[in-house]
Each structure stands twice: as C-alpha cells, then as structure tokens.
Amino acid sequence: MTGKTSYRYDDLFVGMQFRSPGRTITDADVVGFAGLTGDFSELHTSDVYARSSEFGQRVAHGMLGLAYAHGLMWARTGELRETAIAFLGISDWKFVGPIYIGDTIFVNYALAELRDSRSRPSQAIATFDVEVVTQDGKTVQRGRKALLVSKVPLEAVAASSGESAAAVRNPRP
C-alpha cells in the first residue's frame, strides 16, 4: 500500500491490500499464553513430548497465532484508526501449518467486501481475506475477518488526539 498510515471510509476500496509488520514468536509468548489460557498441552510445553511428535519440536498454540495476527493488523498498524469501530467476527478460519518458536509471522490481508450496514446508515461492514505467513512465506493460518467501520470521522479519535469533533468532521483542505 501507500505510505498513508490511517484510512477513512472514503479511502477504502475492494481489492485494497495490506501487510502487517512482523512479530517473532518466543518461548515466553508460548509459556505466557499457556498460563493465560490454561492450555498446557505438552505439544506446547514439553520439549521431550514435542520432539517425538510429527512436528519434531514445540509449536505455538494456534489461538496464540490468531490472537497475535489480529493485533498485528489494524491495532498495530493504525491503518483503520480513523474508521474502525468494532471487530465483528471470523469465518472460514483454518490452521494450515505450525508456528514454531522462533518463527516471525506477518499478516497479509485484502479488503474483499465493503457493504453498507443495514441498520446504521453511518456505518459499513468491511470483510478482509487474511493470511498469516511465516518469514519463509509459508501460510500457517487463513480465513476471513469482518470489521464494523464508520463512514464519518470518529469522535473518539478526535478526543484521543485532543482535537474538537467539529475539526475532525470538517477538516481544512
């Protein structure tokens, strides 16, 4: 994409493509996620067990990869800070390969659909095709994510930036 860091609704178009920054998965990430979720499966927490598994080493939890991928997208990049209202859901999500400790993941995503909200005229639903890839370009997860977006500047952005809401709604040329 371009060097622009934040897009408003009028900037969005189907086919628009993005790539997140990378995030290296560490042992601390996997151990912390196990503690947070209670998922202490030996595939994630035991070198002895994992060495004898089909993967040959410990792997990150699939949900850890999904959670980090979500954070790497809009939250980390700020690309949709001026328009994103709420995350609506995931569909057709597939875990197609392992994420190993030491892998760096990136998220490639493209705007697949942009439609008006049926119940709120000032909002729309943006659906993205998403792929989580490793440093080697291997796809490890993929699916679709939907995001509720505003067609008008968000007052919360103005408040957070110390601007008046009127200035955001009526920017200077």
Side-chain angles (χ1 to χ4, degrees):
M1 266 336 290
T2 67
K4 186 169 178 153
T5 59
S6 186
Y7 298 93
R8 292 191 176 181
Y9 176 78
D10 291 338
D11 298 321
L12 302 178
F13 59 90
V14 171
M16 192 173 203
Q17 296 182 2
F18 304 89
R19 181 173 172 97
S20 77
R23 169 72 158 81
T24 300
I25 306 303
T26 68
D27 183 61
D29 294 326
V30 174
V31 171
F33 194 81
L36 179 69
T37 63
D39 180 351
F40 289 96
S41 168
E42 291 177 282
L43 185 58
H44 311 302
T45 60
S46 169
D47 287 330
V48 172
Y49 179 94
R51 267 195 303 271
S52 296
S53 75
E54 68 182 86
F55 302 106
Q57 60 182 302
R58 287 190 300 137
V59 299
H61 302 75
M63 293 302 290
L64 178 141
L66 174 59
Y68 280 4
H70 188 75
L72 285 170
M73 293 171 70
W74 313 294
R76 172 119 177 240
T77 65
E79 291 161 337
L80 297 179
R81 180 174 187 264
E82 294 186 49
T83 189
I85 297 172
F87 175 57
L88 295 177
I90 300 173
S91 61
D92 301 320
W93 200 261
K94 305 289 183 212
F95 300 91
V96 296
I99 299 172
Y100 296 107
I101 295 169
D103 276 347
T104 299
I105 59 171
F106 301 85
V107 186
N108 297 326
Y109 48 112
L111 185 54
E113 181 182 345
L114 186 61
R115 70 168 180 81
D116 292 340
S117 168
R118 294 191 221 343
S119 60
R120 298 182 181 187
S122 65
Q123 297 177 354
I125 298 171
T127 303
F128 294 84
D129 286 332
V130 180
E131 277 192 330
V132 180
V133 298
T134 65
Q135 69 280 352
D136 301 324
K138 294 178 185 168
T139 300
V140 291
Q141 297 182 11
R142 68 174 177 261
R144 292 190 123 198
K145 291 186 176 187
L147 188 66
L148 184 64
V149 297
S150 179
K151 294 180 179 181
V152 298
L154 296 171
E155 291 188 24
V157 173
S160 178
S161 302
E163 300 175 33
S164 71
V168 171
R169 281 193 295 273
N170 304 305
R172 294 181 190 178

